[in-house]
Amino acid sequence: YQQFNLPIVQFVFGNNVMSPIRILFVCTYLGGRSRIAEAFANHYGKGLIDAHCSGFEEGTLGQGLVKLMAEKQIEIHLDALKTIFKRTRDKEKFDYVVTLCHAQTTEQCDVFLNCVAGMYSRKSKVIGWDIPAFNAIKATNPEERWQSMQEIRNAIENEVLQLIETLNTQSNLPS
């Protein structure tokens, strides 16, 4: 947090220590954006946030995500994601579920948002972020594509930092 001058989220009330806030990041397709959000949340949350990620589809993510996050000195793993459907089947519980979808470029967005809300809105606070999908990038050369990927990554990082700041403010914890 020091490089962003953000307060550190505290989870101590007297002698009681709270459990980390469980957050599930979900996006359409294979979950590349949610994997990036998970990495940022676990990095900036410093273990105080227990972040996970899911996609709607099974599959493996590309090496481009590793390179993209290496620019921020954050390691990211490319293991296959657990789909949101498997997490629901396994009755996994989360305090927050954050959707990463972009209605202008993702025709599945309405179905996606309704599906996530149906699975989690009774048990979790559902938050929606308007983040374009990597497969919606319309670049004419590799440099433009890479710049667009960096912009998406940076937008996700900004959203994660804002979420952490909001969680810190809402907690009203003493310093």
Side-chain angles (χ1 to χ4, degrees):
Y1 293 122
Q2 302 309 323
Q3 72 188 67
F4 296 101
N5 294 321
L6 293 175
I8 295 175
V9 180
Q10 299 179 13
F11 290 87
V12 179
F13 289 101
N15 293 330
N16 299 324
V17 178
M18 290 177 54
S19 298
I21 296 172
R22 288 182 49 85
I23 302 174
L24 175 63
F25 295 98
V26 186
C27 64
T28 56
Y29 306 115
L30 300 175
R33 291 166 293 166
S34 64
R35 178 62 52 91
I36 289 172
E38 172 195 42
F40 279 131
N42 284 328
H43 177 77
Y44 293 124
K46 304 218 186 285
L48 302 172
I49 290 175
D50 181 21
H52 300 268
C53 63
S54 283
F56 256 39
E57 301 173 19
E58 290 186 5
T60 56
L61 301 170
Q63 286 293 322
L65 292 182
V66 172
K67 183 178 174 187
L68 195 62
M69 293 304 286
E71 289 182 345
K72 295 284 189 171
Q73 290 80 45
I74 296 176
E75 286 187 34
I76 191 169
H77 57 91
L78 296 178
D79 304 339
L81 295 177
K82 188 173 188 179
T83 68
I84 190 169
F85 306 108
K86 287 182 180 177
R87 288 187 187 282
T88 302
R89 180 199 65 208
D90 294 345
K91 297 181 170 93
E92 292 184 32
K93 295 180 181 177
F94 298 94
D95 301 304
Y96 292 86
V97 175
V98 179
T99 61
L100 295 86
C101 192
H102 191 250
Q104 290 78 17
T105 58
T106 307
E107 55 197 45
Q108 299 177 6
C109 207
D110 287 340
V111 172
F112 167 74
L113 294 173
N114 287 331
C115 187
V116 172
M119 288 189 277
Y120 282 103
S121 65
R122 291 186 182 151
K123 303 173 255 180
S124 310
K125 180 172 180 158
V126 178
I127 300 169
W129 293 348
D130 189 32
I131 305 287
F134 290 113
N135 65 3
I137 295 173
K138 304 277 189 246
T140 58
N141 63 56
E143 292 80 22
E144 284 180 17
R145 178 165 177 71
W146 189 251
Q147 183 177 3
S148 295
M149 290 177 69
Q150 290 170 318
E151 289 170 4
I152 292 170
R153 177 206 56 208
N154 294 343
I156 294 168
E157 181 180 31
N158 289 333
E159 291 285 358
V160 167
L161 290 169
Q162 287 175 15
L163 176 61
I164 291 171
E165 188 171 9
T166 299
L167 293 173
N168 190 45
T169 302
Q170 289 176 352
S171 67
N172 294 320
L173 296 171
S175 343

